[in-house]
Amino acid sequence: MTAARGPEDPERIGGYRVLRRLGEGGMGRVYLGASPAGRAVAIKVVRPELAGDPGFRARFAAEVAAAQRVSGAFTSPVVEAEPDGAVPWLATAYVNGLSLKETVERYGPMPEPLLRTLGAGLGEALIAIHAAGLLHRDLKPANILLAKDGPRVIDFGISRAVDASADGPTRALTSEGQIIGSPGYMAPEQIRGGTLTASADVFAFGAVLAFAATGRPPFGRGALAAVIHRTLHEGPDLDGVPASLERLVAACLSGDPGERPPTELLPSLLAADPAAAGWLPGPLGEELRQREDTLLLDMRELARSRTRGGCCSAAPPPRDSPSSAAGRPLHWPRPTAGPDGGPPRRSRCGGRRSATSATGASPSRSSPGRSSPTTRDRCTAGTRSTPGGSYGPAGSPSRPSDRTWSTGSRTTAAS
């Protein structure tokens, strides 16, 4: 659930203006930010108590470097990061969608065609992650966002880099001796703290598909110890998984890593229709369209707020200026100096250019028949006042009353 920026939240992080808080986890807070050009980003800011731990800083810097190697149509790329700052942070491309967890809880299990499209996209995302020498290690419904043009895998905060010198085992980037992951989606070897390979992510892939198909985790809910016991000693509950997909899901959830299908085969095994705009039908698709409209209004309002005083708004503060909220440094580039070493010359909105050049000399007259150059006032021309959108509780799109998935003539009621 998103929330408006509070007094304890920074106004800016690096070169990004903070719009609102998206969430909070064990590592820190996540904010929706906007770049100077109006690009939306998700910014994860590390908790101050963790930022003071040199060991954590080293692991975070290594994980940032690893995540920057990942690129793919179904992942969220790293845009910028500052692991060595006073408070480390990481910015990724913002995915304006609902998590798979929230979607299934609200709309019920997915019908088979959408399951296949979801699985094929997740398979391609894992291929890209593994090709970069990484394991995700925490693939779960909350870390999968459903966007208008397909699913996205997010949160590489606990990924591990693969040590290619030792037959594919992993080199820990998180603290040694800790089991990191989400029970119910962790492979047995991950629970036991053993050597991990790409097949651990395939196990989580199968658990995610089972959840999307049935609305419940394949090893149930309840106490942590009970979920772990079922994962280690009992088979998954696949009642409700479409018969055509049950064999694939069961193979992915095998207790033996060697019996799970290789990542490279997952997209082709799903035989899915390609993900494209409008792949999510019915009320969910409409909700995503509303979210896109709201984000667009937010960005337009932000752009107008920068130019309400004129198209020549003040330059951003220099790098060594503190932020007004949490004492965090700003990291804006310094404005380029003018020809005389002073601040850069700027034209005035709606007026003619300065009659004196930067050196103080008068400019030459225009050629006969040509008018002298002018600057049109572009600050307010052609604009209308449009209320900005909101991701807070008061401005969020209303939840659809028709809680169903609709795929053409086929409709599946939510549970």
Side-chain angles (χ1 to χ4, degrees):
M1 180 65 68
T2 64
R5 183 171 58 84
E8 72 279 12
D9 297 320
E11 292 183 357
R12 295 179 184 273
I13 299 171
Y16 304 94
R17 181 170 176 177
V18 175
L19 301 182
R20 58 184 48 86
R21 191 189 304 176
L22 293 175
E24 189 167 359
M27 183 180 289
R29 289 178 176 173
V30 182
Y31 296 97
L32 173 63
S35 72
R39 179 182 186 181
V41 295
I43 311 171
K44 177 179 288 187
V45 180
V46 172
R47 293 183 181 277
E49 60 269 26
L50 293 177
D53 179 357
F56 175 85
R57 277 183 169 274
R59 293 191 298 273
F60 182 75
E63 293 187 10
V64 166
Q68 287 175 325
R69 301 199 302 268
V70 177
S71 63
F74 299 103
T75 61
S76 180
V78 175
V79 176
E80 189 179 354
E82 189 167 322
D84 300 323
V87 178
W89 56 269
L90 170 72
T92 60
Y94 177 60
V95 180
N96 192 16
L98 295 174
S99 74
L100 178 62
K101 179 179 183 295
E102 181 181 1
T103 299
V104 172
E105 287 174 349
R106 289 173 52 187
Y107 292 92
M110 282 184 164
E112 183 179 340
L114 293 184
L115 279 174
R116 291 182 176 274
T117 302
L118 170 70
L122 297 183
E124 286 196 26
L126 289 180
I127 290 173
I129 293 167
H130 296 166
L134 293 176
L135 303 181
H136 191 288
R137 299 201 312 134
D138 197 27
L139 186 69
K140 59 183 179 181
N143 283 340
I144 298 166
L145 298 180
L146 304 184
K148 64 180 182 180
D149 56 350
R152 297 289 188 279
V153 173
I154 63 170
D155 199 351
F156 297 92
I158 64 170
S159 61
R160 287 190 176 192
V162 174
D163 183 357
S165 64
D167 271 351
T170 59
R171 174 170 52 86
L173 293 179
T174 47
S175 296
E176 295 296 337
Q178 294 181 354
I179 296 179
I180 305 296
S182 299
Y185 299 90
M186 296 167 61
E189 64 270 23
Q190 187 173 355
I191 294 175
R192 296 187 178 104
T195 297
L196 300 185
T197 63
S199 62
D201 283 343
V202 174
F203 183 95
F205 169 90
V208 165
L209 280 189
F211 171 82
T214 65
R216 62 184 186 277
F219 297 98
R221 296 185 172 94
L224 174 63
V227 174
I228 288 178
H229 176 83
R230 287 192 290 267
T231 304
L232 294 176
H233 304 292
E234 299 179 12
D237 176 11
L238 301 183
D239 185 24
V241 175
S244 61
L245 294 176
E246 186 174 355
R247 184 177 177 183
L248 170 62
V249 173
C252 291
L253 292 173
S254 171
D256 182 354
E259 294 182 359
R260 300 170 198 156
T263 310
E264 293 77 11
L265 294 182
L266 295 179
S268 60
L269 290 175
L270 269 301
D273 293 332
W279 74 290
L280 294 173
L284 177 57
E286 178 59 31
E287 181 172 347
L288 290 183
R289 285 188 288 273
Q290 291 178 15
R291 290 172 67 94
E292 286 293 322
D293 292 343
T294 301
L295 180 62
L296 179 60
L297 290 174
D298 276 355
M299 292 303 171
R300 285 177 176 174
E301 180 64 20
L302 177 61
R304 288 176 183 142
S305 70
R306 290 172 173 167
T307 58
R308 282 191 182 114
C311 64
C312 309
S313 58
R319 278 184 178 271
D320 51 1
S321 299
S323 66
S324 61
R328 297 183 180 134
L330 300 178
H331 303 284
W332 291 90
R334 296 183 182 276
T336 306
D340 57 354
R345 301 279 196 248
R346 298 191 180 189
S347 60
R348 294 172 297 178
C349 297
R352 296 179 181 272
R353 296 186 184 274
S354 173
T356 305
S357 69
T359 59
S362 298
S364 60
R365 293 182 178 275
S366 302
S367 303
R370 293 184 181 178
S371 59
S372 58
T374 63
T375 302
R376 294 183 180 273
D377 185 355
R378 294 187 297 270
C379 301
T380 57
T383 63
R384 294 185 301 176
S385 175
T386 306
S390 172
Y391 283 93
S396 300
S398 58
R399 294 187 176 183
S401 57
D402 181 15
R403 289 166 44 110
T404 60
W405 294 92
S406 176
T407 55
S409 60
R410 175 180 175 182
T411 301
T412 304
S415 58

